[in-house]
Amino acid sequence: MNLLDSVGDFRGLYGLGEEELGALCAEIRERILDVTLKNGGHLSSSLGAVELTVALLRVFNPDSDKIIFDVGHQSYAYKLLTKRLDRFPTLRRKGGIAGFPRMDESPYDFFTTGHSSTSISAAMGYAKARDLKHENYEVVAVIGDGALLNGVSFEALNAMASVKSKVIIVLNDNKMSINPRVGGMASHLAKLAVNPTYKKFKDYVKYQCAGRKNGESVHQALSQIKLKLKSLLLPTNIFEELNISYWGPFNGHNVTEMEEVFRLARHYDEPLLIHVLTQKGKGCKAAEENPSFFHGIGPMTKVDAPAEKPGGEESWSSVMAGALCAAAEKDPKIMAGTAAMKDGTKLGTFAKRYPQRFFDAGIEEEHMLVYAAGLAAAGMRPAVCIYSTFLQRAMDQVAHDICLPKLPVLLCIDRAGLVGEDGETHHGILDIPWLRAVPGMTLAAPRDAVDLEFFVEEWRARGIPMAVRYPRGKAERALARAEGSVPARWGRCEVLLEGSDICLIGVGSTIPLMLEAAGAIAVETGTQPTVVDLRFIKPLDADGLLPLLASHRAVVTAEEGALAGGVGEAAAALMQEHGIKCNFASAGVPDRFIPHATRAEQWDECGLTVENIMRLCGVRK
């Protein structure tokens, strides 16, 4: 039996010596690598947080203390050491453990996370409840430097003095979020990390606290050396200015040093931030050299995998990035930006080609959209590439700052639909219901690259608020198009197959499903169904749809989004408004959170299958 299996969980950490701890950390990394390369997941962040996690669990007892990991990218070692060792091979698989902390998965996951920058606020809530209930436990928020840059984190830091409850913030600084961090706060952290005065301060604090008298609190010991702190002429520190004590920086790969600091923190009486420096991808040469590529990987990834896979179909993200580059070449007003997702949205080429017209806001979605609105108000044409799940964080900005003043901002909504193994926190299924409710918004979904490029070019020419949603995965260059054909007219749906009796209406990613279902229905019934590409979700093409709805016995819609408030409801409302009666049904994401699994398994769970479309048509029971 290896050391990790013999340790079992965090209780087995307490008796280990320094050499055994080093060996254990190596085994944890090996286990994370083995499972993540097979199943996919967030590799670099978790490899970088192994020693940090071990030190936390040797000092803080999760049977009572609360440890909250921000986002959860760095939580794999924590999962291994909190009674999920045997289940770890099921990571991100259907029915297995999630890739993020989940309160319904383990009593040791104290907050369900997946989106950035919530840990400090949640920890403050725990700490306030603890104090009001006169309970006794520590609350620790573990947050990365990229997540700290988000406005939600700053709001929490600003509010901490007024809450008046002790929280320990562990800042895991690896100089990255997914891509290298950006902005003034990133520079501030870098200066703190290398400032020799802070190193002297760190050593002095440890010396003074180690020599304190019996009964003397750490807070009292530090209070007695305030004059010394002033004599050290510490540089400006934003945390200290917010009345949050700053300790660090410390070596995040030295278990002994972190344990010593964490034990001191237990006895400190006020909110504090402990700054630790780690290396993303630690222990895996390929991940150390290319941490962005190995941040989030797909199943069956090889350690020596190339950062860019040659050949094959383009991804939807690449097609959108190419369309924006083409637009920027024609029009100097075109700009493109993202929120810490330059690699994921494939905007690297745009950034190199047009560096002055590219912006990366960091993990600051709300700021990014208002910034884009400001650009548009000043006469530019900004496009924002953002995952659907992260657009949820900035819906007020879409309505209030973009659509109300009718500003020409393009929302390029990536990963729209079900996303597979990242699960509930990362699905992009709410953008259709929300954007349908916003006056002045045009929302479209292309079935292929031809339509996507058409939508971008028309947005550039028309200068309107617009959103184009597209799924993860590969994009077909041309789908169900005659050679030499041109895109259908702006604002219109498109009949792909002329038929009778049954009308199948798809949108975006569900068009291939509807074409396949139409073939199966034709074979089974001898009658060719009509297949329609909706193209425009808002506004609906009522002139094109009404004759189709009125002339078919059965109409079925399919969408890779929430049924509540979705395309099916819009079509049904149009039918009711015009008194059209037919057998109508919709396939899409039901009113529940869809757990992590492969995307194909999730489509099956949501009834986005040929068999279900045939059942909804009445062809099969």
Side-chain angles (χ1 to χ4, degrees):
M1 179 182 291
N2 61 28
L3 184 57
L4 176 58
D5 291 325
S6 65
V7 165
D9 62 35
F10 62 91
R11 293 181 184 86
L13 297 174
Y14 302 143
L16 299 181
E18 190 170 339
E19 288 188 11
E20 290 174 307
L21 287 171
L24 175 67
C25 290
E27 289 187 16
I28 290 173
R29 281 198 172 87
E30 185 178 347
R31 192 70 58 93
I32 291 172
L33 266 169
D34 180 58
V35 171
T36 309
L37 291 174
K38 288 178 183 174
N39 296 7
H42 293 94
L43 183 59
S44 297
S45 300
S46 280
L47 290 177
V50 172
E51 289 88 358
L52 169 59
T53 302
V54 169
L56 281 168
L57 289 172
R58 278 169 60 88
V59 175
F60 300 100
N61 180 357
D63 283 326
S64 54
D65 299 323
K66 317 302 179 188
I67 303 173
I68 300 173
F69 282 86
D70 204 276
V71 185
H73 293 159
Q74 52 193 331
S75 66
Y76 289 2
Y78 182 80
K79 285 179 180 277
L80 281 168
L81 293 171
T82 50
K83 299 183 180 298
R84 283 167 280 188
L85 180 60
D86 292 342
R87 297 185 65 203
F88 196 69
T90 70
L91 180 74
R92 291 164 48 93
R93 290 183 174 173
K94 187 173 183 179
I97 63 174
F100 299 95
R102 289 289 304 268
M103 295 175 72
D104 58 0
E105 177 182 292
S106 169
Y108 300 111
D109 287 352
F110 298 104
F111 203 70
T112 295
T113 59
H115 287 191
S116 169
S117 312
T118 61
S119 62
I120 301 175
S121 298
M124 289 167 62
Y126 264 104
K128 190 64 174 181
R130 170 200 64 202
D131 295 348
L132 291 172
K133 295 161 69 176
H134 306 290
E135 295 175 340
N136 183 26
Y137 56 81
E138 297 293 336
V139 184
V140 182
V142 183
I143 185 168
D145 52 300
L148 188 71
L149 309 186
N150 183 280
V152 179
S153 294
F154 275 104
E155 290 169 9
L157 292 171
N158 188 52
M160 191 165 290
S162 63
V163 171
K164 299 178 180 177
S165 291
K166 176 192 171 184
V167 171
I168 299 171
I169 303 167
V170 177
L171 171 58
N172 179 18
D173 183 357
N174 58 29
K175 303 179 179 63
M176 301 272 294
S177 52
I178 295 172
N179 296 127
R181 66 193 184 195
V182 297
M185 185 63 181
S187 299
H188 184 71
L189 291 177
K191 290 174 183 176
L192 292 180
V194 300
N195 192 285
T197 306
Y198 264 110
K199 184 179 186 305
K200 294 176 185 176
F201 173 47
K202 175 185 74 174
D203 294 340
Y204 188 73
V205 167
K206 289 165 65 176
Y207 169 77
Q208 289 291 333
C209 293
R212 71 185 189 276
K213 300 174 184 178
N214 291 337
E216 183 183 25
S217 72
V218 174
H219 177 64
Q220 290 171 325
L222 291 180
S223 297
Q224 291 174 7
I225 59 172
K226 278 187 176 179
L227 291 176
K228 178 64 176 179
L229 297 183
K230 290 183 181 293
S231 71
L232 285 171
L233 298 176
L234 293 177
T236 300
N237 183 316
I238 189 172
F239 307 112
E240 296 282 355
E241 294 296 324
L242 291 168
N243 292 318
I244 301 168
S245 295
Y246 170 90
W247 295 3
F250 300 98
N251 181 356
H253 299 299
N254 186 323
V255 174
T256 302
E257 178 170 289
M258 284 187 292
E259 273 191 62
E260 182 180 354
V261 173
F262 292 156
R263 292 189 194 283
L264 290 171
R266 287 193 71 99
H267 298 285
Y268 193 64
D269 298 330
E270 296 186 0
L272 72 155
L273 183 143
I274 301 171
H275 186 181
V276 302
L277 304 178
T278 62
Q279 181 180 16
K280 199 168 184 178
K282 176 77 171 176
C284 173
K285 187 172 185 292
E288 290 176 358
E289 293 175 349
N290 197 348
S292 294
F293 177 76
F294 285 96
H295 169 80
I297 57 176
M300 306 311 294
T301 297
K302 302 293 185 184
V303 172
D304 58 354
E308 294 292 336
K309 296 179 181 178
E313 295 177 292
E314 282 189 290
S315 69
W316 282 103
S317 304
S318 296
V319 173
M320 176 55 80
L324 294 175
C325 281
E329 187 173 351
K330 299 174 187 175
D331 188 342
K333 297 189 298 294
I334 298 296
M335 298 183 68
T338 186
M341 299 297 293
K342 184 177 73 174
D343 288 350
T345 57
K346 306 301 181 188
L347 285 176
T349 298
F350 189 103
K352 290 178 182 177
R353 195 175 297 176
Y354 306 104
Q356 297 304 313
R357 290 193 271 158
F358 171 76
F359 54 97
D360 185 344
I363 308 175
E364 298 173 351
E365 294 85 359
E366 300 94 328
H367 156 69
M368 178 178 65
L369 288 191
V370 180
Y371 176 67
L375 289 168
M380 302 302 286
R381 289 281 191 274
V384 172
C385 295
I386 184 170
Y387 288 11
S388 175
T389 186
F390 301 135
L391 180 62
Q392 295 168 189
R393 313 192 82 170
M395 287 305 297
D396 176 63
Q397 286 68 40
V398 173
H400 183 274
D401 302 304
I402 294 174
C403 288
L404 177 60
K406 302 180 176 64
L407 293 173
V409 175
L410 176 64
L411 303 179
C412 309
I413 307 178
D414 206 329
R415 270 65 164 184
L418 298 161
V419 298
E421 292 85 354
D422 278 343
E424 298 96 321
T425 58
H426 281 61
H427 292 318
I429 61 173
L430 300 177
D431 55 274
I432 292 177
W434 283 346
L435 293 176
R436 278 190 60 226
V438 179
M441 173 58 72
T442 296
L443 174 59
R447 71 177 183 270
D448 58 16
V450 171
D451 252 357
L452 184 148
E453 291 163 353
F454 171 73
F455 294 155
V456 172
E457 182 58 25
E458 287 291 311
W459 161 76
R460 183 181 73 85
R462 293 171 183 271
I464 58 173
M466 185 176 182
V468 177
R469 75 185 311 262
Y470 45 96
R472 70 174 300 174
K474 301 301 180 182
E476 289 205 41
R477 168 51 45 185
L479 176 62
R481 295 185 186 276
E483 188 173 350
S485 65
V486 297
R489 287 163 49 199
W490 174 263
R492 302 304 299 269
C493 63
E494 183 177 0
V495 176
L496 304 182
L497 289 176
E498 297 274 5
S500 61
D501 190 48
I502 295 171
C503 180
L504 306 180
I505 302 175
V507 59
S509 59
T510 62
I511 294 299
L513 168 65
M514 291 313 223
L515 291 169
E516 185 182 355
I521 291 169
V523 169
E524 186 130 337
T525 66
T527 301
Q528 173 65 58
T530 298
V531 177
V532 179
D533 179 1
L534 189 63
R535 299 178 77 233
F536 287 85
I537 298 169
K538 178 187 173 69
L540 279 180
D541 177 15
D543 291 341
L545 284 173
L546 285 171
L548 294 166
L549 296 171
S551 60
H552 290 79
R553 173 189 61 83
V555 176
V556 175
T557 66
E559 58 194 296
E560 194 177 3
L563 285 170
V567 167
E569 283 194 4
L574 183 66
M575 291 171 57
Q576 183 178 28
E577 180 183 352
H578 291 270
I580 296 172
K581 298 184 183 299
C582 69
N583 296 327
F584 182 86
S586 296
V589 180
D591 188 19
R592 65 174 183 269
F593 292 108
I594 306 301
H596 57 276
T598 66
R599 191 158 169 248
E601 289 170 331
Q602 290 165 347
W603 271 50
D604 185 67
E605 181 175 341
C606 293
L608 292 169
T609 63
V610 169
E611 293 74 17
N612 189 50
I613 299 300
M614 295 177 75
R615 183 185 64 79
L616 293 175
C617 293
V619 173
R620 287 186 183 171
K621 294 184 179 180

